[in-house]
Structures are given as C-alpha cells and as structure tokens.
Amino acid sequence: MAPPVVRGTAAWRYFGDFRDALLAGQVLVLQVAHPVVAAGVRDHSDYREDPWTRLMRTVASLSIYVYGGTKGAQVEASRLRRLHRTFTGTADGRRYSALDPGAYAWVHATLVMAPVEAQRFFGRPMSTSELAEYYAQMCGIGRILGIRERYLPQTWPEFEQYYREMIAGFGPNETISTLFETIDTVGKPFARMSDRRWSKLQKGYSAGQMFLIRATLPPELRDRLGLQWTDEDARKFARFCRAARMLGTVMPPSLRTLPMRVVGKLNVWLRERPWAYRFFVRS
C-alpha cells in the first residue's frame, strides 16, 4: 500500500515545488514524443488555439492528484478517463486511443520524473530514502489514475531504466514541431494586455522556454531533435541553476509548494460544487 501524501512526506514537499514549473516545456516535449500521445494531441488538443487556458487546466488537474486528497484524486481520475475515452483516431494507418495503456502510463511517468529532475537541476537532489518514498506515493496515485501494474516498475531504479528505454525510442515528429512553433508564436495570456506590451515580452518568453527545453531534455533526445547546445549555453544554464537553487534555499518547503496546494484544495471544492465550477471555470 502506498504511503499517504501528507504534510512533510516526499511527494508533498516536491511535487508542487515552484521550480517544477521550469520543466513544463520539457515535460510537454517528452509526452508528445510518444507516437500515440502525439496523435491524440494533434487530433484533439486545443493548445495551439488557446495554450494558456490549456496550461491552467493542466495545473489544476495535477494539483488535485497530490494535494486534493484520495477522494479528490479519485474524482479527477474518473473525469480524465471519461474525457480521454473519446479521444480516438488513426495514426500511420492504425487506430489509436488516448487510453492506450502504454501511452497513458508514459504521460504519468513524465510527471513522476519532473520533480526529481527539478530538484537535481534547481535544488538539492532527493536522497535514496526520499526517492523511495516519493516513488511509492506516485505509484499509488498512478493506480488511482488507472495505470496498469505492468507499467508501474516496482522500484525507483527500475523506473529509471524504463524511462531511459522509452526515451531511447523517441525522435522527431510533427507534433513536436508544432509545439515548438506554438511556443515561438504564442499569443498574449490575458485579453486585456496590450498587443504592444506583449510584443515586447513574447520574444523573451519564447526564447526562455526554448532555452529551458534545450537545457533539460535528455542530451540524446535533444540531439535527435536537432536542438543545438553549446558550451556557452551550458555555462548560462549553470548560472541560472545556481540562482534558482539559492531562491529555493531561502524559502521553507511549505512556501515552495503553497500555490499548488491552494490550487488543489480550491479545485476539490469547486468540483464538489458543480454550480460554482461552471461559474468560475470555462468548460
């Protein structure tokens, strides 16, 4: 039985750490590198037309898994499975489903790995005991989400091996190219923001996102995608990591995870009150 996610445990401390957001682009690339996920996103996602709303929905959903309690996670898991059951289509002449067990498990795997890598890059790497507790908790969440046992390696070292083997089989695809184009041309996040102001911010935002993607992708996949990485880039990223590490060091763990925990609790409250959810959240 998985350890509960309560205050002070590994998943509580690390899953919602604000530095995890620095890996958002990397996680998206890794997810759509899977051919079934790529096809599903290509055919059914509206992220190209409205990436900011899609981002907020994703953050809200993720927050419930860890910080919404077991009941909240179960409700969100049922909602996701109902939603993804309708995402079917054809890719390379073969039928696919968004609930394909391997693809569904891979999306979860990228979310399991992201906080571990965020700490390795921008914080203090998790200890062996922390990794064991964290992975056991995330496996428990995976079971709630409906991940099959065969896709949940029993130990963290086995999970790392599975993760490396999956990445070894990935390469360029149309959806990754579209994702990069979307990052490069993303529209303003708020309708009231002036076009002039966003035009000044957009270039820096896009360049920063692509830099973090190039910096944090596994080097072998970065090379296969044709993304350049220079010694100067490595030095710049090292300086950025030191700054992020220092910022995290001066903040207590409870503050590092506060935004995600608040979003998780708020979303549980909203989903228990459909009238409020419909009022505050666009369908």
Side-chain angles (χ1 to χ4, degrees), residues 91-199:
D92 297 327
R94 296 182 179 182
R95 295 284 297 172
Y96 73 82
S97 166
L99 291 180
D100 172 87
Y104 200 62
W106 174 245
V107 171
H108 179 65
T110 63
L111 301 174
V112 171
M113 182 62 84
V116 178
E117 294 206 320
Q119 291 303 311
R120 178 170 65 88
F121 287 126
F122 311 118
R124 175 186 60 80
M126 294 188 203
S127 67
T128 301
S129 60
E130 286 176 323
L131 281 170
E133 179 181 58
Y134 170 79
Y135 183 62
Q137 291 174 310
M138 296 307 292
C139 281
I141 292 170
R143 294 184 185 97
I144 292 174
L145 293 172
I147 308 297
R148 297 183 183 180
E149 286 293 334
R150 62 173 292 196
Y151 293 104
L152 292 172
Q154 292 187 358
T155 66
W156 178 255
E158 291 173 339
F159 173 80
E160 285 187 303
Q161 180 178 350
Y162 152 77
Y163 198 82
R164 289 192 298 267
E165 290 174 352
M166 289 294 293
I167 289 174
F170 295 153
N173 65 43
E174 178 186 350
T175 306
I176 293 177
S177 299
T178 302
L179 173 61
F180 290 161
E181 292 171 6
T182 302
I183 292 172
D184 190 49
T185 60
V186 65
K188 57 189 179 183
F190 309 109
R192 293 184 179 181
M193 179 181 287
S194 69
D195 292 338
R196 182 178 179 182
R197 174 170 294 183
W198 178 241
S199 67

Side-chain angles (χ1 to χ4, degrees), residues 40-269:
V41 168
R42 179 198 65 202
D43 295 342
H44 299 283
S45 177
D46 61 355
Y47 80 95
R48 286 167 291 183
E49 293 76 24
D50 194 1
W52 299 106
T53 299
R54 173 54 53 193
L55 174 63
M56 294 303 295
R57 288 174 178 169
T58 300
V59 170
S61 183
L62 293 177
S63 68
I64 297 175
Y65 298 166
V66 174
Y67 301 110
T70 300
K71 182 179 178 181
Q74 289 171 338
V75 171
E76 180 63 7
S78 296
R79 186 191 72 85
L80 287 174
R81 292 190 71 82
R82 287 196 304 272
L83 176 66
H84 286 84
R85 195 172 291 121
T86 65
F87 293 169
T88 59
T90 303
D92 297 327
R94 296 182 179 182
R95 295 284 297 172
Y96 73 82
S97 166
L99 291 180
D100 172 87
Y104 200 62
W106 174 245
V107 171
H108 179 65
T110 63
L111 301 174
V112 171
M113 182 62 84
V116 178
E117 294 206 320
Q119 291 303 311
R120 178 170 65 88
F121 287 126
F122 311 118
R124 175 186 60 80
M126 294 188 203
S127 67
T128 301
S129 60
E130 286 176 323
L131 281 170
E133 179 181 58
Y134 170 79
Y135 183 62
Q137 291 174 310
M138 296 307 292
C139 281
I141 292 170
R143 294 184 185 97
I144 292 174
L145 293 172
I147 308 297
R148 297 183 183 180
E149 286 293 334
R150 62 173 292 196
Y151 293 104
L152 292 172
Q154 292 187 358
T155 66
W156 178 255
E158 291 173 339
F159 173 80
E160 285 187 303
Q161 180 178 350
Y162 152 77
Y163 198 82
R164 289 192 298 267
E165 290 174 352
M166 289 294 293
I167 289 174
F170 295 153
N173 65 43
E174 178 186 350
T175 306
I176 293 177
S177 299
T178 302
L179 173 61
F180 290 161
E181 292 171 6
T182 302
I183 292 172
D184 190 49
T185 60
V186 65
K188 57 189 179 183
F190 309 109
R192 293 184 179 181
M193 179 181 287
S194 69
D195 292 338
R196 182 178 179 182
R197 174 170 294 183
W198 178 241
S199 67
K200 294 180 179 179
L201 297 175
Q202 192 269 339
K203 185 176 181 180
Y205 168 81
S206 298
Q209 277 288 359
M210 287 305 302
F211 177 77
L212 286 172
I213 287 172
R214 291 188 292 115
T216 59
L217 276 177
E220 64 274 20
L221 181 58
R222 180 176 63 207
D223 292 342
R224 288 197 291 271
L225 296 180
L227 300 175
Q228 294 185 344
W229 186 247
T230 66
D231 291 341
E232 177 56 31
D233 288 333
R235 288 189 289 269
K236 186 185 299 184
F237 184 58
R239 292 193 295 268
F240 181 85
C241 289
R242 285 195 294 270
R245 195 172 297 119
M246 290 176 61
L247 179 60
T249 298
V250 301
M251 298 173 66
S254 59
L255 189 57
R256 297 175 207 157
T257 61
L258 180 61
M260 187 69 93
R261 288 188 288 113
V262 170
V263 169
K265 298 298 183 183
L266 176 61
N267 272 277
V268 170
W269 187 88

